[in-house]
Amino acid sequence: MTRAEFLTRLKRGLAGLPAAQIADIVADYEAHFNEAQEAGRSESEVAAALGEPERLAREQRAEQGVRRWEETKNPSAAASAIFAVVGLGAIDIIFLLPLLMGVLGTLFAFFMAAIGIFVAGGAVTTVGPFAGPPGGPAVAFLLGIGLMAGATALAAVTTLLTVGLVNGLIWYGRLHYRLLKPAIETQV
């Protein structure tokens, strides 16, 4: 594989990232090619040592997703980081994705339950005292406030669990990358 073919495939794999990030990544690999050629190695030797450009592009996309999550902790950045890390390998997808989808579904259900309980608590707080509940209006008011407080606590705990899950996935992705990186670098 020539340098141009390698860089073209790498750019194709990086499609969707911001243009400046693609340019930086490609510049790093061009510099690597330049240094290796100055050391007397051919383009095909360097390309073969680097490995598949598509795999390198997936690793770079994962790294960019992790950086975005570290800079901005929002659902979009979390989804980007999760899919980028999961996209590192087919084996990970086979074993990790079903488990991950189950855990994310459970967390989503907890969020929806918290919203439902909060809305129900608000309804009990505002309407309950006027509906003649058993125990009197104060009991209905306090019950509504209690439901809303419980829903807020459930949402807070679910948020902490979600952030912990995303951080754990990022740790796993970095560990995965660190395990692969020495094997890749010894080929170069």
Side-chain angles (χ1 to χ4, degrees):
M1 182 181 341
T2 65
R3 173 187 198 154
E5 291 170 348
F6 180 90
L7 294 176
T8 300
R9 289 172 56 184
L10 180 66
K11 286 178 191 174
R12 195 176 316 131
L14 295 171
L17 290 177
Q21 288 179 350
I22 293 173
D24 287 344
I25 293 167
V26 170
D28 287 344
Y29 283 99
E30 285 179 341
H32 185 77
F33 269 98
N34 291 337
E35 290 172 11
Q37 286 182 318
E38 288 173 7
R41 300 174 69 188
S42 70
E43 287 183 358
S44 61
E45 289 174 338
V46 176
L50 286 172
E52 291 296 316
E54 291 80 10
R55 172 117 185 128
L56 295 172
R58 283 195 304 270
E59 290 172 356
Q60 290 295 329
R61 293 175 75 86
E63 187 63 31
Q64 298 302 322
V66 168
R67 282 189 194 145
R68 185 171 168 223
W69 166 251
E70 289 174 346
E71 293 170 2
T72 308
K73 298 209 184 292
N74 61 31
S76 173
S80 173
I82 288 170
F83 286 112
V85 168
V86 170
L88 282 177
I91 293 175
D92 293 339
I93 291 173
I94 292 169
F95 292 110
L96 187 61
L97 195 57
L99 175 66
L100 185 62
M101 290 296 120
V103 172
L104 288 176
T106 302
L107 291 174
F108 181 74
F110 282 158
F111 271 122
M112 292 296 107
I115 291 170
I117 293 169
F118 189 86
V119 170
V124 169
T125 301
T126 56
V127 178
F130 305 107
V139 171
F141 181 76
L142 292 175
L143 176 64
I145 295 294
L147 286 172
M148 292 171 65
T152 303
L154 178 62
V157 169
T158 305
T159 300
L160 291 174
L161 289 173
T162 303
V163 169
L165 174 69
V166 173
N167 286 336
L169 284 171
I170 289 171
W171 172 82
Y172 174 77
R174 286 198 165 147
L175 177 66
H176 186 268
Y177 181 71
R178 285 185 190 136
L179 289 174
L180 291 177
K181 192 173 181 180
I184 293 169
E185 289 178 347
T186 56
Q187 296 174 359
V188 175

